[in-house]
Structure formats: C-alpha cells, structure tokens
Amino acid sequence: MLFTPQHAIDELGDEFADTVTPAAFPEAILRFRNGRAAAQIGLDGLSDAEWIRHFGRFEPLPGAQPRPLALRYHGHQFRVYNPDIGDGRGFLFAQMLDDRGRLMDLGTKGSGQTPYSRFGDGRLTLKGGVREILAAEMLEALGVETSRTFSLIETGEALHRGDEPSPTRSAVMVRLNHGHIRIGTFQRLAYFKDEANLKRLTAYVLRHYYGEEAGEDAPQRLLTLVAGRTARLAGQFMAAGFVHGVLNSDNINVSGESFDYGPWRFAPTWDPGFTAAYFDHAGLYAFGRQPEAIFWDVMQLASSLRLIAEEAPLIEAMETFEPAYTREVTGAVLWRMGLKPQTEKRDRTLVQAAERALTASKAPLDLFYFEMFGGQLPESYGEPFAELRGLLARYAPRKPRDHGYWSDPAPCSMLIEEVEAIWVPIAERDDWSMLGAKVAAVRRMGEALA
C-alpha cells in the first residue's frame, strides 16, 4: 500500500476550519505506534525518527496538507447547546486513502492550543493517551466501528489536572478516523443560518463518506444514511458492553464511527444504569440509554438540515433509526455470541432472552460471551438462562472454537481495574510491558472473533 495523500477538506473552503501551529514540545519520546493501522495507509515504512518528526513535531507528510486545520463546530453538551466549542486541543493533520479506498483523516489530541481552546492548555495527559489506546484496541477487536489510536508520543511537560494526581506526564496522540465531520459541524452552520455552506457540507459528506453525489433529496438522503450508521454504532456499543461516557452531538461522527474516548468504561454486567463519567449524575449517557442518546443527537442533525429541507421527508428519515437499531443490536449480539443468524424475528427473540437473563442474573458479561461462543451454554448458567438455553438449540455456530483463545482460562476483558493496573508500572517505573502485552492479548481475541 502506497501513501496516497488527499485534499478533500479543501472543497469546503475557509469557513470550516482555521490553520493552526502545533505546540513545540520539550521532548518527543515514542511510546506507541500502530503498525497495523499504518500499513493500511502506506505509512508503515517510516523509521521511528521519521515517525516522531511527523507525529510529534508535525512536519507535514509528503504531498499532504501543509498546515494543520482546527475544525469549527458547535454542539449540545449534556443537552445544553454550546456555540463556543471547536477543536480546542486537536487538529486535522492529513487526509489519505486507506487500503479499501476510503478517505481517512489523521487527527490529533493534545497538540496545543487553538482558537477554540478557551481556558484550556490544549494538552493531553499521558494516562489519557494510554486509555485511548486501550479503548480503541478493545472496540476494534469487538467489531465496533471505531477510530484507531495511531500514535502516542510523550512530550515532557508537567500538566495539572483536577481529576488525577498532579503534576502528571503529558503526551500528544494521533488517531486514524474515517472523517472528523460531526453532527455539531452541521449545527454550527444552522446556528448561523448559512444555507450555502450547509448544502456544501451535505454534498461533501455524501460524496466522501457514503459514495453518493448529492441530488434534490440530499438532506433527506444524508439523514437516512447517518441514522443507519449511528444505529449500527449504538447496537455495537451494546453488544460490546461499552459505555462511551460523553455522547454529545459534537462527539458523534456523521460517518457513524466512534471516537474521542475520555471517561469510557466497559460494563461488568448487563446493567442499563451503569455510567462511565463521574460527572454524569443523572445517568444521561448510561449503558442502557446510549441508543436513546445517539438518536437524540441525530435529531439535532435533522433540526439543522431543516434549514435546507422540508420537515416531512426529514421526519420520514428519522423514523428509520429505531428499526435499524433493532436490526443492528440483534446482529451485533448474535455476532459476539458466535451464532449464524436465522430469521429477523427468531434472532430478536433470542437476543431479548439473553438480555433478560443477563439482567436478572448479573452474570459477568465478558465471561458469558466467552463461555457460550458458538451456542454451547455451560450447565453452570442456571434458571435465569433456561429460556435462552432452549432457543440456542436452534442455532449453529458461525465459526468453530478452534483458535487458541477459546482454551484460555478466562476471557480478555477491559474493566476499569485492569486499566488502572496497566497504568501503575508506567507511572512508577516507566514500564510499558503490561500495555504491550494487553494490546497483543486484545488483538489475539479479535482474531478469534473475526
């Protein structure tokens, strides 16, 4: 795969972003490079020194855009509209094609201040970067459409944060995304009643993220597609047992790909009320409310598109979300169970039975999926699983349990206790071996599931 730089973002013009200057960091120590992701965009041949120049010092990649761009957007944050946000500690560094021919972005986190930093320092803690690696790797292995942590470089600054011991170490991260256009990008244009740029952005997203040219029904078509992709994401979150934590409209990518992992958690059990963010006191983004939260965000896209479309077709497009979510969560849970799908009705009955059993029993979620992969539910799963056990008899495995992973004594998990344990040797002894071993274990699990 050759590196194939693109400049699609230039189609949008100057109204969508500001050129910025990366921070000049005192150090640049390479801590993580994602060779697998790099191979998919033709950058796996870079030496470590070249890698640091591009992703720690932000020397432009050959043929890519010459200056980083901080993207402009608004958004609802915990249902409160905020017009004073944008890329406050990150920027779009480069665009390129991947090995599937898709337009991809390399974007940063912790790369310095921008016009949207407000009172922030534009930095990222090293622990925050480590947590992003773990979240993205686990989600990718579990079949979730996710950004991937591409690079993590320690930067030698001492940062002060209120939610962890300070001063703490700093880092700059690069993620590989299928685009950085958010629902909040549309909201900003609607806020300013900018019809021309709203139409331009609609056409851009349809062309580059859905492979379609804009017709007369472009707003309705876009909304239908985004509803489908975000319904898929909601279903994948539920099957993975993942709680994003901050599903604000500025954190929802219109490509339907999850990204930006802050206070995330994986749920130990199927607990609809389980939350990730300590500041989510009302449980707005709790595990079981994530489909509702994502639907609410898509409604804000519909509201924004109302500036350039009639209401009736947008309502029609929004009505596709719920049935799409039902299909997607059913398919995602069935996939993680290791079962071949049958009829839509039969599959939904099975998944609902699994949800009831898991809720009633409070069985460990990862262990359940691990032990019953392929449809063989152990006898140790008692009365709450009786209905599910009967339904499973009809199903065939989608693949054999012939990977070595299935002989392990326990499943690969990513609960908060282990995340914290992985950080301890890094903080205390600069020992990165646990992180490396965990990434390898997660990828091995992904191979078994794929």
Side-chain angles (χ1 to χ4, degrees):
M1 174 72 191
L2 295 176
F3 178 63
T4 312
Q6 302 291 300
H7 296 265
I9 196 70
D10 294 344
E11 296 173 19
L12 294 177
D14 296 337
E15 177 57 30
F16 288 82
D18 298 87
T19 57
V20 292
T21 302
F25 298 114
E27 291 184 307
I29 306 168
L30 180 57
R31 296 302 191 183
F32 177 79
R33 59 178 287 172
N34 193 331
R36 184 167 64 177
Q40 293 170 351
I41 58 172
L43 291 176
D44 50 321
L46 294 176
S47 67
D48 282 354
E50 291 170 324
W51 190 279
I52 288 170
R53 286 206 306 272
H54 292 305
F55 306 123
R57 303 302 186 191
F58 297 102
E59 176 184 304
L61 288 161
Q65 64 193 49
R67 293 284 302 278
L69 296 174
L71 303 182
R72 302 173 182 175
Y73 50 86
H74 290 179
H76 279 86
Q77 299 184 310
F78 285 83
R79 304 283 168 91
V80 178
Y81 192 76
N82 189 348
D84 297 319
I85 53 178
D87 279 340
R89 56 172 174 167
F91 50 65
L92 174 62
F93 178 58
Q95 292 184 305
M96 71 292 301
L97 299 181
D98 70 1
D99 55 2
R100 295 160 57 187
R102 302 184 304 165
L103 179 67
M104 304 296 289
D105 289 356
L106 286 173
T108 66
K109 188 173 184 178
S111 50
Q113 292 180 310
T114 78
Y116 310 103
S117 299
R118 293 179 289 171
F119 302 108
D121 60 13
R123 268 48 173 188
L124 171 70
T125 67
L126 183 63
K127 184 178 183 181
V130 168
R131 285 172 46 82
E132 289 246 3
I133 292 169
L134 293 171
E137 290 285 338
M138 191 69 173
L139 289 172
E140 184 181 2
L142 291 174
V144 178
E145 296 294 329
T146 178
S147 65
R148 283 161 291 165
T149 306
F150 191 79
S151 172
L152 185 68
I153 290 176
E154 188 168 359
T155 53
E157 295 177 316
L159 303 181
H160 290 266
R161 294 290 187 268
D163 56 353
E164 60 180 286
S166 297
T168 190
R169 292 153 71 178
S170 58
V172 62
M173 189 190 80
V174 179
R175 67 165 69 95
L176 181 64
N177 261 65
H178 189 35
H180 277 83
I181 303 298
R182 310 151 191 259
I183 287 175
T185 315
F186 285 82
Q187 288 182 279
R188 176 181 171 275
L189 297 173
Y191 179 88
F192 290 118
K193 302 191 185 311
D194 189 346
E195 294 185 29
N197 276 317
L198 200 54
K199 290 177 181 177
R200 182 175 292 114
L201 182 61
T202 299
Y204 176 90
V205 172
L206 282 170
R207 179 180 306 117
H208 292 295
Y209 302 119
Y210 292 97
E212 299 185 9
E213 291 301 319
E216 291 184 3
D217 65 342
Q220 178 187 4
R221 182 62 183 153
L222 175 67
L223 186 59
T224 301
L225 291 166
V226 173
R229 288 272 186 93
T230 53
R232 178 186 67 184
L233 179 64
Q236 290 173 342
F237 276 177
M238 299 304 289
F242 181 70
V243 187
H244 183 282
V246 190
L247 291 174
N248 296 330
S249 60
D250 58 294
N251 278 341
I252 302 296
N253 192 332
V254 294
S255 70
E257 184 182 69
S258 176
F259 74 114
D260 200 14
Y261 303 118
W264 60 269
R265 296 282 191 279
F266 282 89
T269 63
W270 191 282
D271 177 4
F274 181 80
T275 57
Y278 68 87
F279 46 82
D280 188 5
H281 304 295
L284 182 64
Y285 298 143
F287 175 55
R289 297 184 67 183
Q290 291 182 120
E292 168 202 336
I294 292 173
F295 177 73
W296 192 93
D297 288 328
V298 179
M299 285 177 60
Q300 308 320 303
L301 175 60
S303 178
S304 300
L305 292 171
R306 181 66 184 84
L307 189 66
I308 58 171
E310 295 298 321
E311 184 174 338
L314 296 178
I315 292 174
E316 182 181 334
M318 285 301 303
E319 289 173 345
T320 66
F321 183 95
E322 185 176 355
Y325 169 71
T326 299
R327 289 192 305 272
E328 295 292 350
V329 72
T330 300
V333 171
L334 223 65
W335 178 87
R336 194 170 179 194
M337 285 179 162
L339 303 175
K340 290 182 179 178
Q342 296 189 6
T343 66
E344 187 173 327
K345 182 178 180 180
R346 184 173 287 182
D347 293 346
R348 186 61 189 150
T349 299
L350 177 80
V351 170
Q352 288 174 332
E355 290 175 4
R356 286 192 293 270
L358 288 166
T359 302
S361 68
K362 300 188 180 344
L365 196 54
D366 294 324
L367 183 63
F368 165 76
Y369 283 123
F370 178 75
E371 291 187 329
M372 66 82 54
F373 185 87
Q376 299 301 312
L377 192 63
E379 290 300 323
S380 57
Y381 288 84
E383 178 58 30
F385 292 87
E387 179 191 11
L388 176 62
R389 190 184 304 278
L391 295 171
L392 283 171
R394 306 172 178 172
Y395 281 81
R398 67 173 174 85
K399 63 182 303 185
R401 293 174 63 104
D402 56 358
H403 191 282
Y405 172 72
W406 302 114
S407 299
D408 288 355
C412 182
S413 297
M414 193 67 75
L415 301 182
I416 187 60
E417 295 81 7
E418 185 171 5
V419 174
E420 293 295 328
I422 289 168
W423 171 248
V424 170
I426 296 173
E428 294 182 352
R429 304 184 300 279
D430 208 28
D431 179 355
W432 291 76
S433 59
M434 280 186 69
L435 176 65
K438 188 63 181 181
V439 169
V442 168
R443 291 183 177 185
R444 178 171 172 269
M445 177 188 69
E447 293 171 359
L449 287 169

